[in-house]
Amino acid sequence: MALFFVTGADSAALVLGSLSSRGALRPHRGVVVLWGVLIGAVAAALLLAGGLAALQQATILVALPFVVVMLGLAVALVREMAADPAVRPRPGPRRSGLAAAVRAARSYDEENPPPVTRWFHRPGR
């Protein structure tokens, strides 16, 4: 259990160090250590002031604004997925199977084929 908390605190210090160093992938070690000490000091102060319940409440209160951001991102994702033509099914009957494949193959024999077909079948190729 202690390994989980140490790893989480180390990752949080690294992310905060990266963010405070203008997005550097390898922030200065001193910045990361400073963030780690600050995170540990806040956690220790909350544990001494009110025990584990105070630490849990502070964590929930700090994370609450991120819930609103995450809900907004979920709504934006659903809207984009609904507007994406690759995701939205086409209106009308869905054509599949052997008959649809035969129709698609015959469409290459049209009088005015699409440009790609004209390029493949031009003289000299």
Side-chain angles (χ1 to χ4, degrees):
M1 189 71 149
L3 184 63
F4 171 76
F5 287 117
V6 169
T7 304
D10 180 48
S11 298
L14 185 63
V15 168
L16 288 170
S18 178
L19 290 174
S20 62
S21 298
R22 297 183 181 168
L25 295 178
R26 297 174 191 255
H28 293 288
R29 189 169 290 159
V31 174
V32 176
V33 169
L34 175 69
W35 278 112
V37 169
L38 289 174
I39 291 171
V42 168
L46 286 171
L47 282 173
L48 292 174
L52 187 59
L55 183 61
Q56 289 173 341
Q57 290 173 357
T59 303
I60 291 170
L61 285 175
V62 168
L64 194 59
F66 295 109
V67 171
V68 176
V69 171
M70 293 300 290
L71 288 174
L73 289 172
V75 168
L77 177 66
V78 169
R79 284 185 179 174
E80 284 295 319
M81 293 290 285
D84 190 359
V87 175
R88 188 176 0 151
R90 296 179 186 162
R94 187 173 179 187
R95 297 181 182 194
S96 62
L98 182 60
V102 170
R103 272 193 300 275
R106 287 185 181 165
S107 70
Y108 290 115
D109 296 332
E110 299 171 348
E111 289 181 22
N112 191 10
V116 173
T117 307
R118 281 194 303 246
W119 185 82
F120 277 123
H121 295 293
R122 69 180 180 192
R125 276 213 153 249

